[in-house]
Amino acid sequence: MPKKVTILGIPVDAITMREAVARIDGFIEKREPVLIATANAEMLLRATHDGELCRILQGAALVTPDGAGTVWAAHHLGHAMPERVAGYDMAQELMRKAPERHWRFYFFGSAPGVAEKAKAKAERLYPGIEIVGTRNGFFTEADEAAIVQEIKEAQPDILLAALGVPKQEKWLSRHLRELGVPVCIGVGGTFDVMAGVMKRAPLWMQRAKLEWLFRGLMQPKRAGRLLALPKFVLKVHAEKSKNGQTKSNPL
Ligand code: UDP
């Protein structure tokens, strides 16, 4: 069993991208529905005051370290964390392997038209991929039964849900059994990036561990969310002091 590192009460898997994909392959073989989350600093911080999200993450089959903040926190707390496993990158890795492994995808979430554009992009990038359905992420409670039914009937192996955090995790958790989809993953802004609605940070910024800053600047509506990172750093520092360990350099 791969190692887990507890960050602010959430066990995060200390794995590489390759190991994450191998674990997912195993879940698909097993066909027992599981929920997978990709945890960045904002999600981990939110889980400290959102009990439902906290319980969902504690029970998730896999929580990958999405973001420089999560990797930093693990190191700061004195644990190994081999690399960042971001939701967008993991989704691309799974899609790249899909034609050969015959994995079927369903794209659920984002504004009307976006999941369809992401599907077209995936079909161009990964010839032979089977995307068995798409549905936008704007709905009322009254629509939910029909959405679940539609996804069930499409019989995907992997459901990518892009409803934002924590809506996607809560929705997936609530419907996991009923959906019967082996692997359900919350993927945030993945379809927006694939559809070209939103840009991902340039590689140099990702490498400089500044993707969080890029996202905050590109979406002024989210600027307030930039505060999540310093708050997260302070909380991790506090957790470490509680554990009586030594200090290192944040980010
Ligand atoms: N979204 C959705 N339904 C909602 C709210 C958001 O489908 O009720 C979509 C939104 O269009 C975007 C995605 O969720 O494509 C991720 O949103 P955001 O970037 O705000 O979330 P994050 O994952 O960064 O928290």
Side-chain angles (χ1 to χ4, degrees):
M1 246 337 203
K3 202 170 167 304
K4 285 180 188 282
V5 175
T6 299
I7 304 172
L8 305 183
I10 303 300
V12 179
D13 288 86
I15 47 168
T16 62
M17 177 66 78
R18 183 194 269 268
E19 288 164 340
V21 172
R23 294 276 303 278
I24 291 171
D25 194 352
F27 295 140
I28 296 173
E29 291 279 307
K30 215 166 158 205
R31 308 209 75 72
E32 176 80 8
V34 296
L35 189 152
I36 294 174
T38 71
N40 60 13
E42 206 179 332
M43 184 191 274
L44 292 171
L45 184 70
R46 189 178 189 110
T48 63
H49 56 82
D50 181 335
E52 186 184 351
L53 178 65
C54 179
R55 280 188 298 279
I56 292 170
L57 296 179
Q58 286 173 340
L62 194 63
V63 178
T64 72
D66 180 343
T70 307
V71 174
W72 164 78
H75 292 163
H76 189 63
L77 294 168
H79 303 282
M81 184 63 81
E83 65 183 5
R84 177 179 176 206
V85 181
Y88 177 86
D89 297 326
M90 189 164 73
Q92 304 307 308
E93 275 304 298
L94 292 169
M95 285 187 243
R96 198 171 57 76
K97 280 204 166 350
E100 166 211 327
R101 307 287 290 127
H102 303 290
W103 292 336
R104 294 151 57 90
F105 281 81
Y106 193 102
F107 286 3
F108 173 41
S110 304
V114 173
E116 287 75 12
K117 278 197 188 148
K119 175 177 187 276
K121 177 79 182 277
E123 288 166 347
R124 269 201 311 280
L125 288 175
Y126 314 107
I129 192 170
E130 263 191 281
I131 298 159
V132 294
T134 58
R135 170 66 166 85
N136 73 67
F138 292 85
F139 53 88
T140 64
E141 228 182 297
D143 303 319
E144 293 202 18
I147 295 174
V148 169
Q149 192 57 28
E150 192 186 310
I151 297 173
K152 257 171 85 164
E153 279 172 11
Q155 296 190 327
D157 300 298
I158 302 176
L159 169 60
L160 299 183
L163 307 174
V165 177
K167 191 171 173 184
Q168 60 202 19
E169 286 73 24
K170 291 182 180 179
W171 196 89
L172 289 175
S173 168
R174 207 161 35 242
H175 299 291
L176 193 68
R177 293 264 131 221
E178 205 183 340
L179 284 163
V181 178
V183 170
C184 298
I185 317 177
V187 292
T190 292
F191 303 151
D192 287 337
V193 174
M194 291 181 74
V197 176
M198 205 175 73
K199 275 205 165 55
R200 192 136 188 238
L203 261 185
W204 72 265
M205 277 188 103
Q206 291 185 42
R207 289 194 183 120
K209 307 185 185 345
L210 291 174
E211 185 156 26
W212 55 276
L213 179 62
F214 179 86
R215 294 190 74 182
L217 295 176
M218 290 301 281
Q219 293 170 280
K221 265 196 325 224
R222 305 170 51 132
R225 290 163 65 172
L226 283 177
L227 275 181
L229 195 67
K231 280 188 195 158
F232 174 75
V233 167
L234 289 176
K235 281 219 178 226
V236 174
H237 268 301
E239 178 164 299
K240 184 169 174 173
S241 311
K242 231 175 38 199
N243 299 344
Q245 289 162 326
T246 50
K247 65 174 196 274
S248 78
N249 187 23
L251 302 182

